[in-house]
Amino acid sequence: MPAEIKGINEECGVFGIWGHEKAAELMYYGLHSMQHRGQEGAGVVVSDGQKLKAHKGLGLVNDVFKHADFSKISGATAVGHVRYSTQGDRAFENVQPLVFRSQTEGMALAHNGSIMNAELLRSELEDQGSILQTSSDTEVLAHLIKRRGMGINETSISDAINKITGAYAFVILTEEKMYAALDPSGIRPLSIGRLGDAYVVASESCAFDQIGATFEREVLPGELVTISDEGVASTRFAMRGQRKMCAMEYVYLSRPDSDVNEVNVHASRKRMGKELAKEAPADADMVIGVPDSSISSAIGYAEASGLPYEMGIIKNRYVGRTFIQPSQELREQGVKMKLAPVRGIVAGKRIVMIDDSIVRGTTSKRIVHMLRQAGAAEIHVRIASPSIQHPCFYGIDMSTRDELIAANHSIDEIGEIIGADSMAYLSESGLEQAIVKDKTIHQGICMACMTGNYPVKENEAQEIACKG
């Protein structure tokens, strides 16, 4: 399902490249491959070793770079960003990478995630005389790095990062070096790749495939990676804990061809479908998936259940971005424009409809209604993830608890509300079984939006800010 009409949106995607003469051009392709992570703004900052040059704007990657003169943003190093903003936060000045210049040096920052103590830190910085130009969390880090007049290096960056808490993946570019950092729990994804002698950093490995780079390794939780002409160096700014990769990266957010924490997204979704078939079988004629992120799970469910998989819903790929329309009426029309039942397949049939998740339930209700109108005899809804009952504080634009249907209704009530003949979710243990390869410090997922067990607590964020 399109993120804009489901209520789940990833904050953004980051990309960096060091040591390639066509850095800006490769950045374009890398950002394009991660367009699904943010459609409201895109940008690139390039360094030629002397100065930082930026090109960014509101809209899709193609829109932003349509008239770009790449000869004016030439250089061998670059950092880029695709952005999804929360409501009321779509100003141009918030489009990343953010650029900061002093008399001696400059830096560009790209950030994926959420700084939970950003408001407290912002107040502290303003009390000390800082003037912040944006409403973005990212600017807070820049001021923390420079607030004692220090140069931009491993020490100043580590000191600054240790004053923030939340879920974050940062890429920082200066005229001389590029830095990449990941939060101590590793909630957000970030990987390193190689393209000949060049190094690449990206939120998803599909960006490496797009430009012909090879995957090298994950950036580790609590790690600060420094990339320069001397190669790659690693320091640790925080003690590493149990990995808590966001489960929604596998369920919905990442591209199927990406490997997230060395687990292929498509394969994990198939396993979700297989686990779901074991836990919640249905007496039906066929299995269908809601495009696009549910297709892999639907295939897995079909394989495990022995039912045929059919394309019962098609997606129109030439529809405008309805998420920019604020009214509920236009959102509802957007569902009809984007998705359509295949009447000749579903008419008279008992269907298992697989979806990746349910947030408010309104979209599921409309899809079930469309299938009924197309003549489906029975519709058994199966969700390839546990129910979402809690808000996310780690960089996903999730609804408040009051808006989450599973926080306020039982499974049977949800099935009745959306008009399904039966309704079931994948269990928490089933999701973990589908994703986690080995129960080690390297493997583990965050299911806070499903369980309410947050790896980083809000009170911890406040304590860290007060110690700053």
Side-chain angles (χ1 to χ4, degrees):
M1 278 297 298
E4 61 271 16
I5 55 177
K6 286 203 66 170
I8 300 177
N9 286 284
E10 171 66 24
E11 279 292 325
C12 53
V14 297
F15 188 93
I17 185 165
W18 181 276
H20 198 286
E21 61 180 357
K22 296 292 185 181
E25 289 89 338
L26 290 173
M27 179 67 63
Y28 167 80
Y29 290 110
L31 293 180
H32 196 278
S33 72
M34 294 191 293
Q35 183 71 87
H36 57 285
R37 299 187 71 87
Q39 301 93 36
E40 292 182 3
V44 60
V45 175
V46 182
S47 172
D48 59 5
Q50 301 295 319
K51 60 181 179 179
L52 301 176
K53 297 167 284 187
H55 181 90
K56 59 183 182 177
L58 296 169
L60 299 172
V61 173
N62 276 342
D63 298 331
V64 173
F65 289 93
K66 183 163 50 179
H67 302 297
D69 185 348
F70 284 95
S71 66
K72 294 182 179 179
I73 50 173
S74 60
T77 64
V79 59
H81 190 270
V82 287
R83 183 171 190 268
Y84 169 79
S85 65
T86 54
Q87 187 67 28
D89 191 27
R90 296 171 181 164
F92 173 80
E93 60 264 23
N94 288 329
V95 176
Q96 298 184 32
L98 300 182
V99 180
F100 304 89
R101 294 183 175 91
S102 66
Q103 289 183 324
T104 56
E105 59 190 340
M107 65 174 160
L109 271 72
H111 168 217
N112 172 28
S114 177
I115 300 175
M116 295 172 67
N117 57 345
E119 288 304 313
L120 288 170
L121 290 169
R122 182 181 291 269
S123 297
E124 179 187 325
L125 289 166
E126 290 179 351
D127 289 344
Q128 295 174 355
S130 294
I131 300 175
L132 283 75
Q133 301 295 312
T134 75
S135 60
S136 170
D137 291 358
T138 310
E139 187 178 4
V140 171
L141 179 64
H143 283 263
L144 290 173
I145 292 172
K146 292 292 291 181
R147 72 171 173 173
R148 292 190 174 93
M150 295 179 65
I152 304 168
N153 52 43
E154 287 89 344
T155 300
S156 61
I157 293 173
S158 294
D159 288 347
I161 292 178
N162 274 318
K163 291 178 175 62
I164 67 176
T165 189
Y168 50 82
F170 287 108
V171 179
I172 303 170
L173 180 67
T174 70
E175 290 89 349
E176 298 179 348
K177 295 180 179 181
M178 184 167 70
Y179 305 90
L182 191 65
D183 68 85
S185 296
I187 298 172
R188 302 258 66 87
L190 192 63
S191 300
I192 302 172
R194 288 290 299 271
L195 180 59
D197 294 329
Y199 290 94
V200 187
V201 179
S203 292
E204 287 190 40
S205 64
C206 64
F208 300 155
D209 298 332
Q210 185 73 50
I211 64 171
T214 57
F215 171 84
E216 288 280 298
R217 69 175 181 90
E218 300 280 333
V219 177
L220 299 177
E223 182 184 21
L224 174 64
V225 176
T226 303
I227 303 174
S228 66
D229 290 340
E230 282 71 50
V232 176
S234 172
T235 57
R236 187 159 297 285
F237 64 85
M239 291 297 295
R240 184 181 178 195
Q242 171 69 48
R243 187 73 192 258
K244 292 292 183 181
M245 173 66 71
C246 173
M248 293 307 293
E249 290 286 350
Y250 300 96
V251 171
Y252 172 74
L253 297 169
S254 295
R255 254 176 50 165
D257 54 331
S258 286
D259 290 345
V260 176
N261 197 22
E262 302 186 32
V263 175
N264 178 257
V265 174
H266 167 69
S268 67
R269 288 176 184 167
K270 278 191 69 176
R271 290 192 291 270
M272 291 173 206
K274 290 180 178 181
E275 291 294 325
L276 184 59
K278 296 176 189 175
E279 295 179 2
D283 187 10
D285 300 311
M286 67 176 68
V287 179
I288 67 172
V290 178
D292 284 315
S293 54
S294 307
I295 299 301
S296 300
S297 296
I299 293 171
Y301 190 102
E303 287 184 5
S305 65
L307 295 171
Y309 167 77
E310 293 285 356
M311 188 174 66
I313 303 173
I314 61 169
K315 180 179 178 181
N316 183 352
R317 303 184 184 278
Y318 302 97
V319 176
R321 293 175 291 148
T322 57
F323 66 87
I324 64 174
Q325 304 292 348
S327 73
Q328 187 65 26
E329 181 181 354
L330 287 175
R331 289 193 194 100
E332 292 179 6
Q333 185 61 34
V335 177
K336 296 177 183 178
M337 292 172 64
K338 289 178 181 289
L339 299 174
V342 183
R343 187 178 299 273
I345 296 296
V346 304
K349 302 296 184 180
R350 300 169 300 165
I351 296 166
V352 179
M353 186 191 90
I354 307 295
D355 206 353
D356 54 75
S357 56
I358 293 182
V359 181
R360 299 176 184 88
T362 51
T363 300
S364 299
K365 183 178 180 178
R366 293 183 208 116
I367 296 172
V368 170
H369 180 66
M370 285 194 300
L371 290 169
R372 295 275 189 211
Q373 287 185 316
E378 294 178 11
I379 303 170
H380 302 277
V381 175
R382 298 292 183 267
I383 306 300
S385 65
S387 60
I388 296 174
Q389 302 184 41
H390 307 273
C392 176
F393 303 118
Y394 303 143
I396 300 177
D397 183 24
M398 195 76 76
S399 305
T400 63
R401 186 173 171 83
D402 289 342
E403 294 178 304
L404 298 173
I405 190 170
N408 300 284
H409 297 279
S410 68
I411 294 177
D412 289 341
E413 287 173 341
I414 295 171
E416 185 175 345
I417 289 169
I418 67 174
D421 290 284
S422 70
M423 170 82 190
Y425 288 92
L426 179 64
S427 67
E428 294 163 15
S429 61
L431 182 66
E432 187 174 43
Q433 180 73 23
I435 297 172
V436 179
K437 293 190 299 185
D438 304 297
K439 292 211 173 184
T440 66
I441 194 171
H442 301 281
Q443 293 287 322
I445 54 177
C446 171
M447 294 189 283
C449 61
M450 305 158 188
T451 65
N453 297 322
Y454 294 95
V456 182
K457 308 292 194 300
E458 189 171 5
N459 62 334
E460 293 175 4
Q462 294 172 349
E463 288 173 6
I464 290 174
C466 291
K467 290 177 182 176

